[in-house]
Amino acid sequence: MKLTLMGFVGIFFIACQQNPSLNSASRDIEINQKVEELLSKMTLEEKVGQMNQYSGFMDFTGPEPDKGQAASKLEHIKKGWVGSMLNVHGVENVKAVQKMAVEESRLGIPLIFGFDVIHGYKTISPIPLAESASWDLKAIKRSAEIAAEEASSAGINWTFAPMVDISRDARWGRVMEGAGEDPFLGSKIAKARVEGFQGNDLSSPHTIAATAKHFAAYGFGDAGREYNTVDIGTTTLYNTVLPPFKAAVDADVKTFMNAFNVLNGIPATGDEFILRDILKSHWNFNGFVVSDWDSVGEMVNHGYAFDGRDAAKKAVKAGTDMDMESYHFIEELVSLVDNGEVEEKSIDDAVSRILRVKFELGLFDDPYQYLSSDREKQTVYNSKFKEDVLGLAKKSIVLLKNDNQLLPLSKENQSILIVGELANDKTSPLGSWRIAAEEETAISLVEGMKTYNSNNKIKYVQGPKLVNGDPKFIKQLKINTTDRAGFTEVIQSAKDADVVIMNLGEHGLQSGEGRSRAEIGLPGLQQELLEAVYIVNPNIVLVLQNGRPLTLNWADKHIPAIVEAWQLGTYSGLAIAEVLFGDYNPSGKLTMSFPRSLGQLPLYYNELPTGRPNNPKQEDVFRSHYIDEENSPLYAFGHGLSYTHFEYSNLKLSQTASKSIQVSIDIKNTGKYLGTETVQVYVRDKVAQISRPVKELKAFEQIELKPNQQKTIDIQLTEKELGYYLPNGDWIFENGEFEIFVGTSSSETLSEKISI
Ligand code: GLC
């Protein structure tokens, strides 16, 4: 039977209805055709225009450009010389700018509006480092969905998130923005966040395009110093840095963003190896790459480009498709192509990628579909988000220490003193990436505790100020180290209290971009205040609010209860109060090691064994150690206590197939509270073609157990978990001996060995 064209189309149509992947394939074909058709109509100037992104006139997330350029930016939009805007949000603002592009430029190509919706737009969820401590992938995905729902209602169709940079150095300010030190967990979280932002239908006005950033290795800057040099081997690149980016590509992330740093001598923005060889060819990424703020122009500072023109050429050749706020693409690319220094096919490739994402977002179908004022009013700060955002905040809290079960607090007849400027701070809990959320929109700890329905007497005394003056978003903070006003009142009040809650840590702007710290103890006079209170009343609960691991040796030795409460977002105070009073049994687990000393950094659990592994029992010094500090962290990766206790027993390993290991373990809740435990499974490959870490997280499972309840957990480790990348980037699995560790943290495990 001859199959006519109509017959084929009919069969294909039916097949698509029955098979979504064929449906998406047909949509891809349709979009590619539309892109080709539009590209054929565009002048070179209009093509280059799509590669040009300007910042709006409201917020700046980089060095402020000359404000005078605002007018020319609008003119360029009308000429079709702009493809995207960032930092323009709110239906009215976005609509005004979109109309210029759609109704006044020759081809009416809609702009794509990007914004840093890092952990919420106006309703702010916990900072990503806190969210990662929940280990709850479903809740993390939901958090991104909420962010997308709220941001898209305000006209935003693209977020510059998730930041998936692995980091091992708490001095770096942006550890608050990532998922910690582990690539396996970081990959799972990258997937969850991309899927949360982008949903199942990117053309829906309730979903937004996501960005995997910063590509690559931004978290490995020397000495934890912001924007600093990165020089790492390919073993670390392939096995630690790249996996979360690959997970984002596998989750169909639509965009990538360059990192500011050089990677092994080449600025990431101009690095053809990572952008074209790995990302676009080996990984077959078909979205587009946007530079970070002026990272194209900064290749001149790096000494890698002579001038802006040379930088534009090198960036495009390397595979950067869109230029954020350096202006070199729009100023130089047309003449570079006309002079034959840049091939037009490179421009066509970049523009096709950008147009494809705009088609997928539905912006060509309806450029105003994200622009309903009614929807914006009904969505922004809507209380329907509270349950999930508050729930994730509670799950992000990590109980670091709880001697003599000081926690949970009694709800009756206690005089509770709350101390610390942070306890009354309604902005710091929003973190440094709150850029759209208004100040003072977080529920503070004082509010959370005072509104909690307990029959306690709650008193608040601020104590000495943490910062001088009134810091604003961009400006530097001045930490108070001299003004002790408030000390006496705190000490007097502490004498009369049953329990003192010391809410100490970092101001919300002491972490985040541009905020590396050379010391990571409690800033200002806080440590002095803590020790002074301890003298008059040792019954202290230290509640930390911070954006990075801190050095807490004195507190760990003296303070009976320590709670890591990060910066938990809009519902911060409510979440902390529920945990302190036991209505939520803390379940968080650290995703970054807390050092004993600054000198231990960079510090990470999945280190290599070295040729002389540390052996404290060894008398001589010829082992990998310090003479003045332990090697181990103060609090390990995966550490987090509960008000109950979980007992691990009966670890069994078996080989179920040629390249897999079956792990079985019994867990029992031996305490008196219902609790959630994150069972962690670590692997050590004993002998390989390269030295392998002493342990690596390769599986985890969260279980909820009632008191006295026991469960057996069965987990399958396949070659996907047991293999690794060779220095040349090839993935390999090798038979041999493996040691499997299962436990409640990376430092508290049962272990067995097996050869397969
Ligand atoms: C900043 C950040 C980047 C952010 C961009 C736009 O410099 O490095 O993460 O998305 O500029 O605000």
Side-chain angles (χ1 to χ4, degrees):
M1 178 189 76
K2 193 165 173 305
L3 185 57
T4 64
L5 176 62
M6 285 312 294
F8 169 76
V9 168
I11 293 167
F12 188 66
F13 179 78
I14 292 163
C16 288
Q17 296 306 311
Q18 288 159 358
N19 180 336
S21 62
L22 270 178
N23 206 359
S24 78
S26 72
R27 181 156 165 71
D28 287 350
I29 293 168
E30 181 195 350
I31 286 178
N32 286 334
Q33 282 167 348
K34 288 179 176 176
V35 167
E36 289 309 312
E37 199 181 310
L38 178 53
L39 199 65
S40 65
K41 296 176 188 161
M42 295 170 77
T43 65
L44 178 56
E45 276 183 344
E46 288 165 336
K47 290 178 184 176
V48 168
Q50 289 301 304
M51 301 167 71
N52 180 34
Q53 180 188 57
Y54 285 144
S55 179
F57 324 117
M58 314 162 71
D59 301 279
F60 291 101
T61 53
E64 288 192 22
D66 161 17
K67 285 253 185 4
Q69 281 153 355
S72 67
K73 288 178 178 180
L74 299 182
E75 282 314 303
H76 285 188
I77 290 170
K78 293 170 187 171
K79 288 180 177 173
W81 291 0
V82 185
S84 170
M85 295 294 289
L86 74 145
N87 293 333
V88 177
H89 55 102
V91 166
E92 289 319 306
N93 296 314
V94 174
K95 190 182 288 182
V97 178
Q98 187 69 295
K99 274 171 74 73
M100 283 178 208
V102 171
E103 297 172 21
E104 298 189 46
S105 73
R106 185 178 77 89
L107 291 171
I109 298 173
L111 300 169
I112 178 172
F113 289 85
F115 198 64
D116 292 284
V117 186
I118 307 298
H119 54 106
Y121 171 62
K122 298 261 186 181
T123 301
I124 301 296
S125 62
I127 57 173
L129 185 61
E131 284 196 353
S132 70
S134 74
W135 295 56
D136 185 332
L137 301 177
K138 192 162 161 280
I140 290 168
K141 178 177 176 182
R142 178 64 190 137
S143 168
E145 284 170 355
I146 289 169
E149 173 65 30
E150 206 176 43
S152 59
S153 80
I156 293 160
N157 15 78
W158 174 27
T159 178
F160 305 126
M163 182 271 223
V164 300
D165 301 312
I166 296 294
S167 185
R168 299 160 162 176
D169 197 320
R171 289 171 291 186
W172 190 41
R174 299 193 79 162
V175 296
M176 54 70 65
E177 197 176 343
E181 70 195 48
D182 181 76
F184 177 84
L185 180 62
S187 300
K188 298 288 184 189
I189 290 175
K191 175 178 184 292
R193 304 198 77 214
V194 168
E195 291 174 349
F197 287 127
Q198 297 188 165
N200 299 321
D201 176 9
L202 196 60
S203 66
S204 155
H206 299 267
T207 58
I208 57 180
T211 307
K213 72 181 186 183
H214 305 78
F215 199 57
Y218 185 13
F220 280 73
D222 285 349
R225 199 177 80 215
E226 185 59 284
Y227 311 130
N228 207 3
T229 302
V230 173
D231 208 293
I232 56 174
T234 52
T235 298
T236 300
L237 180 67
Y238 282 116
N239 287 292
T240 305
V241 171
L242 293 181
F245 287 102
K246 179 62 169 57
V249 170
D250 293 346
D252 196 23
V253 72
K254 291 304 168 191
T255 74
F256 263 55
M257 183 184 287
N258 296 136
F260 285 117
N261 51 279
V262 291
L263 173 58
N264 304 330
I266 297 178
T269 304
D271 189 339
E272 195 164 344
F273 169 61
I274 59 172
L275 292 170
R276 288 208 187 278
D277 297 352
I278 294 180
L279 177 62
K280 292 183 173 180
S281 132
H282 190 44
W283 292 354
N284 196 28
F285 172 66
N286 63 12
F288 70 86
V289 178
V290 62
S291 76
D292 200 339
W293 189 289
D294 191 25
S295 65
V296 171
E298 290 174 7
M299 289 201 279
V300 177
N301 300 340
H302 281 298
Y304 187 71
F306 295 104
D307 53 22
R309 181 181 180 78
D310 189 35
K313 179 165 68 174
K314 284 173 175 158
V316 167
K317 284 188 168 184
T320 292
D321 303 305
M322 186 182 277
D323 167 22
M324 178 192 290
E325 275 291 327
S326 91
Y327 315 131
H328 296 311
F329 277 20
I330 196 66
E331 289 166 354
E332 306 293 352
L333 283 183
V334 170
S335 72
L336 281 166
V337 172
D338 289 345
N339 289 358
E341 294 177 70
V342 168
E343 293 180 312
E344 185 155 2
K345 72 174 182 172
S346 303
I347 305 297
D348 288 350
D349 176 63
V351 177
S352 300
R353 290 168 179 271
I354 293 164
L355 293 177
R356 193 157 42 239
V357 174
K358 291 185 177 182
F359 273 109
E360 289 186 60
L361 279 164
L363 288 171
F364 282 97
D365 301 331
D366 175 4
Y368 304 112
Q369 67 163 352
Y370 286 82
L371 300 172
S372 154
S373 296
D374 288 347
R375 180 184 161 216
E376 182 180 34
K377 287 192 194 75
Q378 289 155 20
T379 307
V380 170
Y381 286 129
N382 190 303
S383 60
K384 69 181 178 183
F385 302 133
K386 175 176 178 182
E387 184 182 350
D388 288 327
V389 174
L390 171 57
L392 181 53
K394 290 185 279 190
K395 291 174 178 177
S396 304
I397 292 172
V398 183
L399 181 59
L400 297 176
K401 187 183 174 192
N402 190 25
D403 285 358
N404 324 314
Q405 292 291 313
L406 177 60
L407 291 174
L409 300 174
S410 161
K411 296 178 184 175
E412 306 288 332
N413 310 319
Q414 294 268 299
S415 68
I416 296 175
L417 174 67
I418 303 172
V419 175
E421 186 179 16
L422 285 174
N424 209 29
D425 182 338
K426 290 169 60 65
T427 303
S428 282
L430 301 174
S432 62
W433 267 125
R434 62 166 180 83
I435 54 176
E438 282 71 18
E439 292 186 340
E440 305 287 307
T441 51
I443 294 173
S444 70
L445 178 57
V446 170
E447 288 170 329
M449 293 295 282
K450 287 193 169 177
T451 54
Y452 197 85
N453 59 347
S454 72
N455 298 323
N456 292 315
K457 186 165 74 62
I458 310 267
K459 180 180 177 186
Y460 171 63
V461 176
Q462 175 186 291
K465 288 191 73 60
L466 174 57
V467 293
N468 293 324
D470 175 17
K472 281 292 171 231
F473 177 57
I474 292 273
K475 299 289 178 290
Q476 288 300 343
L477 294 171
K478 298 277 179 292
I479 301 298
N480 171 32
T481 56
T482 54
D483 178 1
R484 284 172 174 70
F487 253 76
T488 310
E489 187 189 6
V490 166
I491 305 302
Q492 287 307 326
S493 304
K495 286 175 183 165
D496 309 330
D498 295 320
V499 179
V500 183
I501 296 176
M502 302 282 293
N503 186 200
L504 308 175
E506 296 177 315
H507 184 277
L509 296 180
Q510 281 188 276
S511 60
E513 184 177 356
R515 293 174 171 89
S516 291
R517 289 180 65 198
E519 291 295 343
I520 55 171
L522 290 170
L525 298 169
Q526 297 181 103
Q527 180 63 36
E528 190 180 325
L529 183 69
L530 180 62
E531 294 182 27
V533 169
Y534 179 76
I535 292 168
V536 299
N537 188 340
N539 243 9
I540 294 172
V541 177
L542 172 59
V543 176
L544 296 162
Q545 292 197 41
N546 44 300
R548 58 162 54 80
L550 302 174
T551 44
L552 301 164
N553 280 333
W554 185 90
D556 181 59
K557 286 190 179 65
H558 298 86
I559 304 302
I562 304 175
V563 176
E564 177 53 77
W566 310 109
Q567 287 144 2
L568 291 173
T570 303
Y571 300 108
S572 174
L574 296 179
I576 300 170
E578 286 201 37
V579 165
L580 294 183
F581 283 111
D583 280 13
Y584 183 80
N585 181 0
S587 55
K589 299 279 185 181
L590 295 178
T591 58
M592 263 192 101
S593 308
F594 275 51
R596 297 175 187 277
S597 305
L598 188 73
Q600 290 179 286
L601 298 182
L603 176 67
Y604 46 102
Y605 82 93
N606 46 355
E607 61 182 6
L608 300 187
T610 77
R612 295 194 174 180
N614 186 31
N615 170 7
K617 296 190 185 68
Q618 201 175 319
E619 288 304 311
D620 63 45
V621 294
F622 306 112
R623 53 198 159 84
S624 178
H625 79 303
Y626 304 97
I627 59 172
D628 57 354
E629 185 54 277
E630 294 182 38
N631 286 7
S632 62
L634 181 64
Y635 302 119
F637 174 87
H639 172 71
L641 302 178
S642 169
Y643 293 149
T644 193
H645 183 263
F646 298 99
E647 193 176 85
Y648 285 68
S649 62
N650 206 11
L651 172 59
K652 287 187 196 132
L653 305 178
S654 57
Q655 181 172 359
T656 47
S658 64
K659 298 176 180 178
S660 68
I661 299 170
Q662 183 73 26
V663 182
S664 169
I665 183 96
D666 293 343
I667 321 279
K668 183 174 183 180
N669 178 344
T670 56
K672 56 188 172 86
Y673 287 90
L674 172 77
T676 296
E677 170 71 336
T678 302
V679 179
Q680 300 152 49
V681 180
Y682 298 87
V683 173
R684 178 175 184 177
D685 183 347
K686 300 291 278 188
V687 179
Q689 290 186 42
I690 55 174
S691 178
R692 307 283 298 120
V694 295
K695 61 177 63 132
E696 294 178 284
L697 180 73
K698 289 297 180 186
F700 63 89
E701 189 164 319
Q702 288 191 318
I703 55 171
E704 185 181 71
L705 294 176
K706 298 185 183 72
N708 289 319
Q709 186 182 5
Q710 175 168 306
K711 259 188 192 169
T712 299
I713 304 284
D714 291 304
I715 286 172
Q716 181 88 0
L717 297 172
T718 68
E719 64 176 297
K720 196 163 163 294
E721 288 78 39
L722 301 173
Y724 62 95
Y725 287 99
L726 290 168
N728 70 358
D730 289 348
W731 176 262
I732 187 169
F733 165 82
E734 296 164 312
N735 290 92
E737 186 186 30
F738 292 89
E739 188 164 7
I740 309 297
F741 307 82
V742 183
T744 188
S745 85
S746 60
S747 63
E748 295 166 83
T749 57
L750 300 178
S751 67
E752 292 292 344
K753 292 176 186 164
I754 186 169
S755 291
I756 59 170

mmCIF file of all heavy atoms in Angstrom, residues 61-62 86-87 116 160 174 177 213-214 218 227 257 260 292-293 324 433 513, ligand 1:
data_model
loop_
_atom_site.group_PDB
_atom_site.id
_atom_site.type_symbol
_atom_site.label_atom_id
_atom_site.label_comp_id
_atom_site.label_asym_id
_atom_site.label_seq_id
_atom_site.Cartn_x
_atom_site.Cartn_y
_atom_site.Cartn_z
ATOM 1 N N THR A 61 22.247 44.736 39.477
ATOM 2 C CA THR A 61 22.898 43.606 40.161
ATOM 3 C C THR A 61 24.342 43.518 39.718
ATOM 4 O O THR A 61 24.929 42.469 39.721
ATOM 5 C CB THR A 61 22.152 42.317 39.819
ATOM 6 O OG1 THR A 61 22.058 42.235 38.387
ATOM 7 C CG2 THR A 61 20.780 42.323 40.423
ATOM 8 N N GLY A 62 24.864 44.633 39.276
ATOM 9 C CA GLY A 62 26.266 44.689 38.879
ATOM 10 C C GLY A 62 26.699 46.138 39.001
ATOM 11 O O GLY A 62 25.911 46.979 39.452
ATOM 12 N N LEU A 86 16.901 42.657 31.513
ATOM 13 C CA LEU A 86 16.835 42.108 32.864
ATOM 14 C C LEU A 86 16.525 43.256 33.802
ATOM 15 O O LEU A 86 16.668 44.426 33.433
ATOM 16 C CB LEU A 86 18.145 41.435 33.266
ATOM 17 C CG LEU A 86 19.348 42.316 33.615
ATOM 18 C CD1 LEU A 86 20.161 41.656 34.722
ATOM 19 C CD2 LEU A 86 20.234 42.560 32.411
ATOM 20 N N ASN A 87 16.077 42.919 34.990
ATOM 21 C CA ASN A 87 15.777 43.914 36.025
ATOM 22 C C ASN A 87 14.649 44.857 35.631
ATOM 23 O O ASN A 87 14.582 45.971 36.116
ATOM 24 C CB ASN A 87 17.030 44.721 36.402
ATOM 25 C CG ASN A 87 18.046 43.856 37.097
ATOM 26 O OD1 ASN A 87 17.673 42.858 37.736
ATOM 27 N ND2 ASN A 87 19.301 44.172 36.944
ATOM 28 N N ASP A 116 16.616 37.839 38.616
ATOM 29 C CA ASP A 116 17.214 36.899 39.575
ATOM 30 C C ASP A 116 16.183 36.393 40.576
ATOM 31 O O ASP A 116 16.146 36.840 41.713
ATOM 32 C CB ASP A 116 18.383 37.577 40.309
ATOM 33 C CG ASP A 116 19.529 37.834 39.368
ATOM 34 O OD1 ASP A 116 20.237 36.872 39.030
ATOM 35 O OD2 ASP A 116 19.673 38.994 38.934
ATOM 36 N N PHE A 160 17.432 33.759 36.413
ATOM 37 C CA PHE A 160 18.863 33.417 36.395
ATOM 38 C C PHE A 160 19.146 32.497 37.586
ATOM 39 O O PHE A 160 19.865 32.831 38.511
ATOM 40 C CB PHE A 160 19.705 34.681 36.480
ATOM 41 C CG PHE A 160 19.385 35.699 35.416
ATOM 42 C CD1 PHE A 160 19.074 37.004 35.749
ATOM 43 C CD2 PHE A 160 19.360 35.344 34.084
ATOM 44 C CE1 PHE A 160 18.781 37.949 34.768
ATOM 45 C CE2 PHE A 160 19.066 36.274 33.097
ATOM 46 C CZ PHE A 160 18.769 37.581 33.442
ATOM 47 N N ARG A 174 28.984 33.507 48.007
ATOM 48 C CA ARG A 174 27.866 32.939 47.234
ATOM 49 C C ARG A 174 27.579 31.483 47.575
ATOM 50 O O ARG A 174 26.727 30.858 46.943
ATOM 51 C CB ARG A 174 28.136 33.106 45.739
ATOM 52 C CG ARG A 174 28.255 34.565 45.338
ATOM 53 C CD ARG A 174 28.225 34.812 43.873
ATOM 54 N NE ARG A 174 26.858 34.769 43.339
ATOM 55 C CZ ARG A 174 26.520 35.289 42.162
ATOM 56 N NH1 ARG A 174 27.459 35.869 41.409
ATOM 57 N NH2 ARG A 174 25.279 35.223 41.723
ATOM 58 N N GLU A 177 23.989 30.670 47.875
ATOM 59 C CA GLU A 177 23.164 30.599 46.675
ATOM 60 C C GLU A 177 23.155 29.205 46.055
ATOM 61 O O GLU A 177 22.376 28.914 45.163
ATOM 62 C CB GLU A 177 23.728 31.607 45.663
ATOM 63 C CG GLU A 177 22.849 31.985 44.538
ATOM 64 C CD GLU A 177 23.491 33.059 43.669
ATOM 65 O OE1 GLU A 177 24.462 33.729 44.120
ATOM 66 O OE2 GLU A 177 23.031 33.225 42.534
ATOM 67 N N LYS A 213 23.806 28.161 36.251
ATOM 68 C CA LYS A 213 24.926 29.109 36.365
ATOM 69 C C LYS A 213 25.789 28.716 37.544
ATOM 70 O O LYS A 213 25.331 27.949 38.415
ATOM 71 C CB LYS A 213 24.385 30.527 36.503
ATOM 72 C CG LYS A 213 23.735 30.842 37.853
ATOM 73 C CD LYS A 213 23.216 32.283 37.860
ATOM 74 C CE LYS A 213 22.706 32.684 39.229
ATOM 75 N NZ LYS A 213 22.138 34.044 39.242
ATOM 76 N N HIS A 214 27.063 29.184 37.574
ATOM 77 C CA HIS A 214 27.800 29.956 36.597
ATOM 78 C C HIS A 214 28.823 29.028 35.962
ATOM 79 O O HIS A 214 29.629 28.447 36.690
ATOM 80 C CB HIS A 214 28.486 31.115 37.282
ATOM 81 C CG HIS A 214 27.562 31.993 38.067
ATOM 82 N ND1 HIS A 214 27.083 31.653 39.332
ATOM 83 C CD2 HIS A 214 26.993 33.181 37.779
ATOM 84 C CE1 HIS A 214 26.293 32.623 39.772
ATOM 85 N NE2 HIS A 214 26.207 33.569 38.857
ATOM 86 N N TYR A 218 32.958 28.514 39.276
ATOM 87 C CA TYR A 218 33.003 29.807 39.993
ATOM 88 C C TYR A 218 33.223 29.601 41.499
ATOM 89 O O TYR A 218 33.795 30.428 42.183
ATOM 90 C CB TYR A 218 31.693 30.496 39.697
ATOM 91 C CG TYR A 218 31.436 31.882 40.182
ATOM 92 C CD1 TYR A 218 32.407 32.729 40.696
ATOM 93 C CD2 TYR A 218 30.133 32.388 40.104
ATOM 94 C CE1 TYR A 218 32.103 34.017 41.126
ATOM 95 C CE2 TYR A 218 29.815 33.671 40.530
ATOM 96 C CZ TYR A 218 30.801 34.474 41.047
ATOM 97 O OH TYR A 218 30.473 35.749 41.480
ATOM 98 N N TYR A 227 35.172 36.369 42.671
ATOM 99 C CA TYR A 227 35.653 36.580 41.299
ATOM 100 C C TYR A 227 37.101 36.144 41.118
ATOM 101 O O TYR A 227 37.716 36.464 40.089
ATOM 102 C CB TYR A 227 35.551 38.051 40.863
ATOM 103 C CG TYR A 227 34.220 38.725 41.117
ATOM 104 C CD1 TYR A 227 34.158 39.958 41.767
ATOM 105 C CD2 TYR A 227 33.026 38.147 40.749
ATOM 106 C CE1 TYR A 227 32.948 40.581 42.027
ATOM 107 C CE2 TYR A 227 31.808 38.765 40.991
ATOM 108 C CZ TYR A 227 31.777 39.981 41.635
ATOM 109 O OH TYR A 227 30.576 40.608 41.893
ATOM 110 N N MET A 257 24.573 30.372 32.070
ATOM 111 C CA MET A 257 25.226 31.666 32.239
ATOM 112 C C MET A 257 26.705 31.449 32.506
ATOM 113 O O MET A 257 27.100 30.542 33.242
ATOM 114 C CB MET A 257 24.614 32.440 33.422
ATOM 115 C CG MET A 257 25.207 33.833 33.596
ATOM 116 S SD MET A 257 24.571 34.688 35.039
ATOM 117 C CE MET A 257 22.914 35.099 34.499
ATOM 118 N N PHE A 260 32.284 34.356 35.952
ATOM 119 C CA PHE A 260 33.178 35.511 35.804
ATOM 120 C C PHE A 260 34.641 35.099 35.748
ATOM 121 O O PHE A 260 35.479 35.814 35.224
ATOM 122 C CB PHE A 260 33.030 36.442 37.015
ATOM 123 C CG PHE A 260 31.798 37.268 37.033
ATOM 124 C CD1 PHE A 260 30.860 37.124 38.044
ATOM 125 C CD2 PHE A 260 31.559 38.210 36.040
ATOM 126 C CE1 PHE A 260 29.706 37.903 38.069
ATOM 127 C CE2 PHE A 260 30.416 39.000 36.069
ATOM 128 C CZ PHE A 260 29.488 38.838 37.086
ATOM 129 N N ASP A 292 27.568 36.627 32.061
ATOM 130 C CA ASP A 292 27.188 37.282 33.302
ATOM 131 C C ASP A 292 27.469 38.777 33.101
ATOM 132 O O ASP A 292 28.091 39.184 32.123
ATOM 133 C CB ASP A 292 27.974 36.685 34.487
ATOM 134 C CG ASP A 292 27.278 36.966 35.802
ATOM 135 O OD1 ASP A 292 26.455 37.915 35.849
ATOM 136 O OD2 ASP A 292 27.529 36.238 36.763
ATOM 137 N N TRP A 293 27.026 39.575 34.041
ATOM 138 C CA TRP A 293 27.076 41.041 33.889
ATOM 139 C C TRP A 293 28.458 41.533 33.437
ATOM 140 O O TRP A 293 29.413 41.496 34.205
ATOM 141 C CB TRP A 293 26.717 41.672 35.235
ATOM 142 C CG TRP A 293 26.517 43.139 35.171
ATOM 143 C CD1 TRP A 293 27.479 44.086 34.983
ATOM 144 C CD2 TRP A 293 25.280 43.842 35.299
ATOM 145 N NE1 TRP A 293 26.912 45.328 34.969
ATOM 146 C CE2 TRP A 293 25.574 45.219 35.181
ATOM 147 C CE3 TRP A 293 23.952 43.474 35.518
ATOM 148 C CZ2 TRP A 293 24.598 46.200 35.266
ATOM 149 C CZ3 TRP A 293 22.974 44.449 35.606
ATOM 150 C CH2 TRP A 293 23.283 45.792 35.464
ATOM 151 N N MET A 324 25.222 40.290 28.379
ATOM 152 C CA MET A 324 24.549 41.051 29.428
ATOM 153 C C MET A 324 25.409 42.246 29.783
ATOM 154 O O MET A 324 26.499 42.098 30.346
ATOM 155 C CB MET A 324 24.333 40.193 30.679
ATOM 156 C CG MET A 324 23.699 40.915 31.828
ATOM 157 S SD MET A 324 23.764 39.982 33.382
ATOM 158 C CE MET A 324 22.635 38.655 33.064
ATOM 159 N N TRP A 433 19.674 37.936 48.079
ATOM 160 C CA TRP A 433 19.073 37.876 46.741
ATOM 161 C C TRP A 433 17.552 38.098 46.806
ATOM 162 O O TRP A 433 16.790 37.521 46.060
ATOM 163 C CB TRP A 433 19.348 36.535 46.062
ATOM 164 C CG TRP A 433 20.556 36.509 45.186
ATOM 165 C CD1 TRP A 433 21.598 35.645 45.283
ATOM 166 C CD2 TRP A 433 20.857 37.346 44.061
ATOM 167 N NE1 TRP A 433 22.526 35.891 44.306
ATOM 168 C CE2 TRP A 433 22.111 36.937 43.555
ATOM 169 C CE3 TRP A 433 20.214 38.423 43.435
ATOM 170 C CZ2 TRP A 433 22.719 37.526 42.451
ATOM 171 C CZ3 TRP A 433 20.818 39.023 42.345
ATOM 172 C CH2 TRP A 433 22.051 38.578 41.861
ATOM 173 N N GLU A 513 26.706 37.747 46.603
ATOM 174 C CA GLU A 513 27.720 38.189 45.647
ATOM 175 C C GLU A 513 28.497 39.384 46.171
ATOM 176 O O GLU A 513 27.943 40.298 46.744
ATOM 177 C CB GLU A 513 27.093 38.565 44.318
ATOM 178 C CG GLU A 513 28.176 38.925 43.295
ATOM 179 C CD GLU A 513 27.644 39.241 41.934
ATOM 180 O OE1 GLU A 513 26.415 39.106 41.741
ATOM 181 O OE2 GLU A 513 28.444 39.600 41.053
HETATM 182 C C1 GLC B 1 25.266 39.089 38.781
HETATM 183 C C2 GLC B 1 25.433 37.634 39.139
HETATM 184 C C3 GLC B 1 24.535 36.721 38.365
HETATM 185 C C4 GLC B 1 23.211 37.414 38.128
HETATM 186 C C5 GLC B 1 23.488 38.545 37.163
HETATM 187 C C6 GLC B 1 22.217 39.337 36.837
HETATM 188 O O1 GLC B 1 26.519 39.678 38.637
HETATM 189 O O2 GLC B 1 26.747 37.096 39.074
HETATM 190 O O3 GLC B 1 24.402 35.506 39.120
HETATM 191 O O4 GLC B 1 22.273 36.515 37.593
HETATM 192 O O5 GLC B 1 24.476 39.442 37.662
HETATM 193 O O6 GLC B 1 21.753 39.981 37.949
#
